[in-house]
Amino acid sequence: VSYPNVCDRCSGPLPVSTMSRFNTEMCCMACIDKERAHPKYKEAEEVEIRQVRAGNYNYHGIGKPADL
Ligand SMILES: [Zn+2]
């Protein structure tokens, strides 16, 4: 298994990787902070929780908003 060392979204360095809530990109904290501030973040989080509760662990997110 090889771990990515650049952010999928901004291609910046990735000391700590966190998966986006909008899709399956591995993002740096700066990008995660940006998506947390997006108005659709709450919706993405709620849909994900519902999917996981329903047993759908292959859920890939609602998709990255075009303006993120
Ligand atoms: Zn980034």
Coordinates of all heavy atoms in Angstrom, one line a residue:
V1 N 0.9 -1.2 0.0 CA 0.0 0.0 0.0 C 0.9 1.2 0.0 O 1.8 1.4 0.8 CB -0.9 0.0 1.2 CG1 -1.8 1.3 1.2 CG2 -1.8 -1.2 1.3
S2 N 0.6 2.1 -0.9 CA 1.4 3.4 -0.9 C 0.5 4.5 -0.6 O -0.7 4.6 -1.0 CB 2.0 3.6 -2.3 OG 1.0 3.9 -3.2
Y3 N 0.9 5.4 0.3 CA 0.1 6.5 0.7 C 0.5 7.7 -0.1 O 1.6 8.0 -0.4 CB 0.4 6.8 2.2 CG -0.1 5.7 3.1 CD1 0.7 4.6 3.4 CD2 -1.4 5.6 3.5 CE1 0.3 3.6 4.2 CE2 -1.9 4.6 4.3 CZ -1.0 3.5 4.6 OH -1.5 2.5 5.4
P4 N -0.6 8.5 -0.5 CA -0.3 9.7 -1.3 C 0.4 10.7 -0.4 O 0.0 10.8 0.8 CB -1.7 10.1 -1.7 CG -2.6 9.5 -0.7 CD -2.0 8.3 -0.2
N5 N 1.3 11.4 -0.9 CA 1.9 12.5 -0.1 C 1.6 13.9 -0.6 O 2.2 14.8 -0.2 CB 3.4 12.2 0.0 CG 4.1 12.1 -1.3 OD1 3.6 12.4 -2.3 ND2 5.3 11.6 -1.3
V6 N 0.7 14.0 -1.6 CA 0.2 15.3 -2.0 C -1.3 15.3 -1.9 O -1.9 14.2 -2.1 CB 0.6 15.7 -3.4 CG1 2.2 15.9 -3.5 CG2 0.2 14.7 -4.4
C7 N -1.9 16.4 -1.6 CA -3.3 16.6 -1.5 C -4.0 16.3 -2.9 O -3.5 16.8 -3.9 CB -3.6 18.0 -1.0 SG -5.3 18.4 -1.0
D8 N -5.0 15.5 -2.9 CA -5.8 15.3 -4.2 C -6.4 16.5 -4.8 O -6.6 16.6 -6.0 CB -6.9 14.3 -3.9 CG -6.4 12.9 -3.8 OD1 -5.3 12.6 -4.2 OD2 -7.1 12.0 -3.2
R9 N -6.7 17.5 -3.9 CA -7.4 18.7 -4.4 C -6.5 19.8 -4.8 O -6.7 20.4 -5.8 CB -8.4 19.1 -3.3 CG -9.4 20.1 -3.7 CD -10.6 20.2 -2.8 NE -11.4 18.9 -2.8 CZ -12.3 18.6 -1.9 NH1 -12.5 19.4 -0.9 NH2 -12.9 17.5 -2.0
C10 N -5.5 20.2 -4.0 CA -4.7 21.3 -4.3 C -3.2 20.9 -4.6 O -2.4 21.8 -5.0 CB -4.7 22.3 -3.1 SG -3.8 21.7 -1.7
S11 N -2.9 19.6 -4.6 CA -1.6 19.1 -4.9 C -0.5 19.6 -3.9 O 0.7 19.5 -4.2 CB -1.2 19.4 -6.3 OG -2.1 18.7 -7.2
G12 N -0.9 20.2 -2.8 CA 0.0 20.7 -1.8 C 0.5 19.5 -1.0 O 0.0 18.4 -1.1
P13 N 1.5 19.8 -0.1 CA 2.0 18.7 0.7 C 1.0 18.2 1.7 O 0.1 18.9 2.1 CB 3.2 19.4 1.5 CG 2.9 20.9 1.4 CD 2.1 21.1 0.1
L14 N 1.1 16.9 2.0 CA 0.0 16.3 2.8 C 0.6 15.6 4.0 O 0.7 14.4 4.1 CB -0.7 15.2 1.9 CG -2.0 14.6 2.2 CD1 -3.1 15.7 2.5 CD2 -2.4 13.7 1.1
P15 N 0.9 16.4 5.0 CA 1.5 15.7 6.3 C 0.4 14.9 7.0 O 0.7 13.9 7.5 CB 1.9 16.9 7.1 CG 1.2 18.1 6.6 CD 0.8 17.8 5.2
V16 N -0.8 15.4 7.0 CA -1.9 14.7 7.6 C -3.0 14.6 6.5 O -3.5 15.6 6.0 CB -2.5 15.4 8.8 CG1 -3.6 14.6 9.5 CG2 -1.4 15.7 9.8
S17 N -3.5 13.4 6.2 CA -4.5 13.3 5.2 C -5.8 12.9 5.8 O -5.9 12.1 6.7 CB -4.1 12.2 4.2 OG -4.0 10.9 4.8
T18 N -6.8 13.6 5.3 CA -8.2 13.4 5.8 C -9.1 13.2 4.6 O -8.9 14.0 3.6 CB -8.7 14.6 6.6 OG1 -7.7 14.8 7.7 CG2 -10.0 14.4 7.2
M19 N -10.0 12.3 4.6 CA -10.9 12.1 3.4 C -12.0 13.2 3.4 O -12.5 13.5 4.4 CB -11.5 10.7 3.4 CG -12.1 10.5 2.0 SD -12.9 8.9 1.9 CE -11.5 7.8 1.7
S20 N -12.2 13.7 2.2 CA -13.2 14.7 2.0 C -14.6 14.1 2.4 O -14.8 12.9 2.2 CB -13.2 15.1 0.5 OG -14.4 15.9 0.2
R21 N -15.5 15.0 2.8 CA -16.9 14.5 3.0 C -17.7 14.6 1.7 O -18.8 14.0 1.6 CB -17.6 15.4 4.0 CG -17.2 15.1 5.4 CD -18.4 14.7 6.3 NE -18.0 14.7 7.7 CZ -17.9 13.5 8.4 NH1 -18.3 12.4 7.8 NH2 -17.5 13.5 9.6
F22 N -17.2 15.3 0.7 CA -18.0 15.4 -0.5 C -17.7 14.3 -1.5 O -18.5 13.9 -2.3 CB -17.7 16.8 -1.2 CG -18.2 17.9 -0.4 CD1 -17.4 18.9 0.1 CD2 -19.6 18.1 -0.3 CE1 -17.9 20.0 0.8 CE2 -20.1 19.2 0.4 CZ -19.3 20.1 0.9
N23 N -16.4 13.8 -1.5 CA -16.1 12.6 -2.3 C -14.9 11.9 -1.7 O -14.8 12.0 -0.5 CB -15.7 13.2 -3.8 CG -14.6 14.2 -3.7 OD1 -13.8 14.2 -2.8 ND2 -14.5 15.0 -4.7
T24 N -14.2 11.1 -2.4 CA -13.2 10.2 -1.8 C -11.8 10.7 -1.9 O -10.9 10.0 -1.6 CB -13.3 8.8 -2.4 OG1 -13.1 8.9 -3.8 CG2 -14.6 8.1 -2.1
E25 N -11.7 12.0 -2.2 CA -10.3 12.6 -2.3 C -9.7 12.7 -0.9 O -10.4 13.0 0.1 CB -10.4 14.0 -2.9 CG -10.7 14.0 -4.3 CD -10.9 15.5 -4.9 OE1 -11.2 16.4 -4.1 OE2 -10.7 15.6 -6.1
M26 N -8.4 12.4 -0.9 CA -7.6 12.6 0.4 C -7.1 14.0 0.3 O -6.4 14.4 -0.6 CB -6.5 11.6 0.5 CG -7.0 10.2 0.6 SD -8.1 9.8 1.9 CE -7.1 10.0 3.3
C27 N -7.5 14.8 1.4 CA -7.2 16.3 1.3 C -6.3 16.7 2.5 O -6.3 16.1 3.6 CB -8.5 17.0 1.4 SG -9.5 16.8 -0.1
C28 N -5.6 17.8 2.3 CA -4.8 18.4 3.4 C -5.8 19.2 4.3 O -6.9 19.4 3.9 CB -3.7 19.3 2.8 SG -4.3 20.8 2.0
M29 N -5.3 19.6 5.4 CA -6.2 20.3 6.4 C -6.7 21.6 5.9 O -7.8 22.0 6.2 CB -5.5 20.5 7.7 CG -5.3 19.2 8.5 SD -6.7 18.0 8.5 CE -7.9 18.9 9.5
A30 N -5.9 22.3 5.0 CA -6.4 23.6 4.5 C -7.6 23.4 3.6 O -8.6 24.1 3.7 CB -5.2 24.2 3.7
C31 N -7.6 22.3 2.8 CA -8.7 22.0 1.9 C -9.9 21.5 2.7 O -11.1 21.8 2.4 CB -8.4 20.9 0.9 SG -7.3 21.6 -0.4
I32 N -9.7 20.7 3.8 CA -10.7 20.3 4.7 C -11.4 21.5 5.4 O -12.6 21.6 5.5 CB -10.2 19.2 5.7 CG1 -9.8 17.9 5.0 CG2 -11.2 18.9 6.8 CD1 -10.9 17.2 4.3
D33 N -10.6 22.4 5.8 CA -11.1 23.6 6.5 C -12.0 24.4 5.5 O -13.1 24.9 5.8 CB -10.0 24.6 6.9 CG -9.3 24.1 8.2 OD1 -9.9 23.1 8.8 OD2 -8.3 24.6 8.6
K34 N -11.6 24.4 4.2 CA -12.4 25.1 3.2 C -13.7 24.4 3.0 O -14.7 25.1 2.9 CB -11.6 25.1 1.9 CG -11.3 26.5 1.3 CD -10.6 26.5 0.0 CE -9.1 26.5 0.2 NZ -8.4 26.3 -1.1
E35 N -13.7 23.1 2.9 CA -15.0 22.4 2.6 C -15.9 22.5 3.9 O -17.1 22.5 3.7 CB -14.8 21.0 2.1 CG -14.3 20.0 3.0 CD -14.5 18.6 2.4 OE1 -14.2 18.4 1.2 OE2 -14.9 17.7 3.1
R36 N -15.3 22.5 5.1 CA -16.1 22.6 6.3 C -16.9 24.0 6.3 O -17.9 24.1 6.9 CB -15.2 22.5 7.5 CG -14.9 21.1 7.9 CD -14.2 21.0 9.2 NE -14.0 19.6 9.5 CZ -12.9 19.1 10.1 NH1 -12.0 19.9 10.5 NH2 -12.7 17.8 10.3
A37 N -16.3 25.0 5.7 CA -16.9 26.3 5.6 C -18.0 26.4 4.5 O -18.7 27.4 4.4 CB -15.9 27.4 5.5
H38 N -18.1 25.4 3.7 CA -19.0 25.4 2.5 C -20.4 25.2 3.0 O -20.7 24.3 3.9 CB -18.6 24.4 1.5 CG -19.3 24.6 0.2 ND1 -20.5 24.1 -0.1 CD2 -18.9 25.2 -1.0 CE1 -20.9 24.4 -1.3 NE2 -19.9 25.1 -1.9
P39 N -21.4 25.9 2.4 CA -22.8 25.7 2.9 C -23.3 24.3 2.7 O -24.3 23.9 3.4 CB -23.6 26.7 2.1 CG -22.6 27.4 1.1 CD -21.2 27.0 1.5
K40 N -22.8 23.5 1.8 CA -23.3 22.2 1.6 C -22.6 21.1 2.4 O -23.0 20.0 2.4 CB -23.1 21.8 0.1 CG -24.2 22.5 -0.8 CD -24.2 21.8 -2.2 CE -25.1 20.6 -2.2 NZ -26.5 20.9 -2.5
Y41 N -21.6 21.6 3.3 CA -20.9 20.6 4.1 C -21.8 19.8 5.0 O -21.7 18.6 5.2 CB -19.8 21.3 4.9 CG -18.9 20.3 5.7 CD1 -17.9 19.6 5.1 CD2 -19.2 20.1 7.0 CE1 -17.2 18.7 5.8 CE2 -18.4 19.2 7.8 CZ -17.4 18.5 7.1 OH -16.7 17.7 7.8
K42 N -22.7 20.6 5.7 CA -23.6 20.0 6.6 C -24.5 18.9 6.0 O -24.7 17.8 6.5 CB -24.5 21.1 7.2 CG -25.4 20.7 8.4 CD -24.6 20.7 9.7 CE -25.5 20.1 10.8 NZ -24.8 19.1 11.6
E43 N -25.0 19.2 4.8 CA -25.8 18.3 4.0 C -25.0 17.0 3.7 O -25.4 15.9 3.8 CB -26.3 18.9 2.7 CG -27.1 18.0 1.9 CD -27.4 18.7 0.5 OE1 -27.5 19.9 0.4 OE2 -27.6 17.9 -0.5
A44 N -23.7 17.2 3.2 CA -22.8 16.1 2.9 C -22.6 15.2 4.1 O -22.6 14.0 4.0 CB -21.5 16.6 2.4
E45 N -22.5 15.8 5.2 CA -22.2 15.1 6.5 C -23.5 14.3 6.8 O -23.4 13.1 7.2 CB -21.9 16.1 7.6 CG -21.4 15.5 8.8 CD -20.9 16.5 9.8 OE1 -21.6 17.6 9.9 OE2 -19.9 16.3 10.4
E46 N -24.7 14.9 6.7 CA -25.9 14.2 7.1 C -26.2 13.0 6.2 O -26.6 12.0 6.6 CB -27.1 15.2 7.1 CG -27.1 16.0 8.4 CD -28.0 17.3 8.3 OE1 -28.7 17.4 7.2 OE2 -28.0 18.1 9.2
V47 N -26.0 13.2 4.9 CA -26.2 12.2 3.9 C -25.3 11.0 4.2 O -25.7 9.8 4.2 CB -26.1 12.7 2.5 CG1 -26.2 11.5 1.5 CG2 -27.2 13.7 2.2
E48 N -24.0 11.3 4.5 CA -23.0 10.3 4.8 C -23.5 9.4 6.0 O -23.4 8.2 6.0 CB -21.7 10.9 5.0 CG -20.6 9.8 5.1 CD -19.3 10.3 5.6 OE1 -18.6 11.0 4.8 OE2 -18.9 10.1 6.7
I49 N -23.9 10.1 7.0 CA -24.3 9.4 8.3 C -25.5 8.5 7.9 O -25.5 7.3 8.4 CB -24.7 10.4 9.4 CG1 -23.4 11.1 9.9 CG2 -25.4 9.8 10.5 CD1 -23.6 12.4 10.7
R50 N -26.4 9.0 7.2 CA -27.6 8.1 6.8 C -27.2 6.9 6.0 O -27.6 5.8 6.2 CB -28.6 9.0 5.9 CG -29.7 9.6 6.7 CD -30.9 9.9 5.9 NE -30.6 10.8 4.8 CZ -30.6 12.1 4.9 NH1 -30.8 12.7 6.0 NH2 -30.3 12.9 3.8
Q51 N -26.2 7.1 5.0 CA -25.8 6.0 4.2 C -25.1 4.9 5.0 O -25.3 3.8 4.9 CB -24.8 6.5 3.1 CG -25.5 7.4 2.1 CD -26.4 6.6 1.1 OE1 -26.2 5.4 0.9 NE2 -27.5 7.2 0.7
V52 N -24.2 5.4 5.9 CA -23.5 4.5 6.8 C -24.4 3.7 7.7 O -24.3 2.5 7.9 CB -22.3 5.2 7.6 CG1 -21.7 4.3 8.6 CG2 -21.3 5.7 6.6
R53 N -25.4 4.4 8.3 CA -26.4 3.8 9.1 C -27.2 2.7 8.3 O -27.6 1.7 8.9 CB -27.4 4.8 9.6 CG -26.9 5.5 10.9 CD -28.0 6.0 11.7 NE -27.4 6.9 12.7 CZ -27.8 8.2 12.9 NH1 -28.7 8.7 12.2 NH2 -27.2 8.9 13.8
A54 N -27.4 3.0 7.1 CA -28.1 2.0 6.2 C -27.2 0.9 5.8 O -27.7 0.0 5.1 CB -28.7 2.7 5.0
G55 N -26.0 0.9 6.2 CA -25.1 -0.2 5.9 C -24.3 0.0 4.6 O -23.6 -0.9 4.1
N56 N -24.4 1.2 4.0 CA -23.7 1.4 2.7 C -22.3 2.0 3.0 O -22.1 3.2 3.0 CB -24.5 2.4 1.8 CG -23.9 2.7 0.5 OD1 -22.9 2.0 0.1 ND2 -24.4 3.6 -0.2
Y57 N -21.4 1.1 3.2 CA -20.0 1.6 3.5 C -19.2 1.9 2.3 O -18.1 2.4 2.3 CB -19.3 0.5 4.3 CG -19.9 0.3 5.7 CD1 -20.7 -0.8 5.9 CD2 -19.9 1.3 6.7 CE1 -21.3 -1.0 7.1 CE2 -20.5 1.1 7.9 CZ -21.2 0.0 8.1 OH -21.9 -0.2 9.3
N58 N -19.8 1.7 1.1 CA -19.1 2.1 -0.1 C -19.6 3.4 -0.7 O -19.3 3.8 -1.8 CB -19.3 1.0 -1.2 CG -18.5 -0.3 -0.9 OD1 -17.4 -0.2 -0.4 ND2 -19.1 -1.4 -1.1
Y59 N -20.3 4.1 0.2 CA -20.8 5.4 -0.2 C -19.7 6.4 -0.6 O -18.7 6.5 0.2 CB -21.6 6.0 0.9 CG -22.1 7.4 0.8 CD1 -23.1 7.7 -0.2 CD2 -21.7 8.4 1.6 CE1 -23.5 9.0 -0.4 CE2 -22.1 9.7 1.4 CZ -23.0 10.0 0.4 OH -23.5 11.2 0.2
H60 N -19.8 7.1 -1.7 CA -18.7 7.9 -2.1 C -18.9 9.4 -2.0 O -18.2 10.2 -2.6 CB -18.3 7.6 -3.6 CG -17.7 6.2 -3.8 ND1 -16.8 5.8 -2.9 CD2 -18.0 5.2 -4.6 CE1 -16.4 4.5 -3.3 NE2 -17.2 4.2 -4.3
G61 N -19.9 9.8 -1.3 CA -20.2 11.2 -1.1 C -21.1 11.8 -2.1 O -21.4 11.3 -3.1
I62 N -21.6 13.0 -1.8 CA -22.6 13.7 -2.7 C -21.9 14.4 -3.8 O -22.6 14.8 -4.7 CB -23.5 14.7 -1.9 CG1 -22.6 15.9 -1.3 CG2 -24.3 14.1 -0.8 CD1 -23.5 17.0 -0.8
G63 N -20.6 14.4 -3.9 CA -19.9 15.0 -5.0 C -19.4 16.4 -4.5 O -20.1 17.1 -3.8
K64 N -18.2 16.8 -5.0 CA -17.7 18.1 -4.7 C -18.5 19.2 -5.3 O -18.7 19.2 -6.5 CB -16.2 18.1 -5.1 CG -15.5 19.4 -4.6 CD -14.0 19.3 -4.8 CE -13.5 19.5 -6.2 NZ -13.5 20.9 -6.6
P65 N -19.0 20.2 -4.5 CA -19.7 21.3 -5.1 C -18.8 22.0 -6.1 O -17.6 22.1 -5.9 CB -20.0 22.2 -3.9 CG -19.9 21.3 -2.7 CD -18.9 20.3 -3.1
A66 N -19.3 22.5 -7.2 CA -18.6 23.2 -8.3 C -17.8 24.4 -7.8 O -16.8 24.8 -8.3 CB -19.5 23.6 -9.4
D67 N -18.4 25.0 -6.7 CA -17.8 26.3 -6.3 C -16.8 26.1 -5.1 O -16.4 27.0 -4.4 CB -18.9 27.3 -5.9 CG -19.8 26.8 -4.8 OD1 -19.8 25.5 -4.5 OD2 -20.6 27.6 -4.3
L68 N -16.5 24.8 -4.8 CA -15.5 24.6 -3.7 C -14.1 24.7 -4.2 O -13.8 24.0 -5.2 CB -15.8 23.2 -3.1 CG -14.9 22.9 -1.8 CD1 -15.3 23.8 -0.7 CD2 -15.0 21.4 -1.5
Ligands
ZN1 ZN -5.2 20.6 -0.2

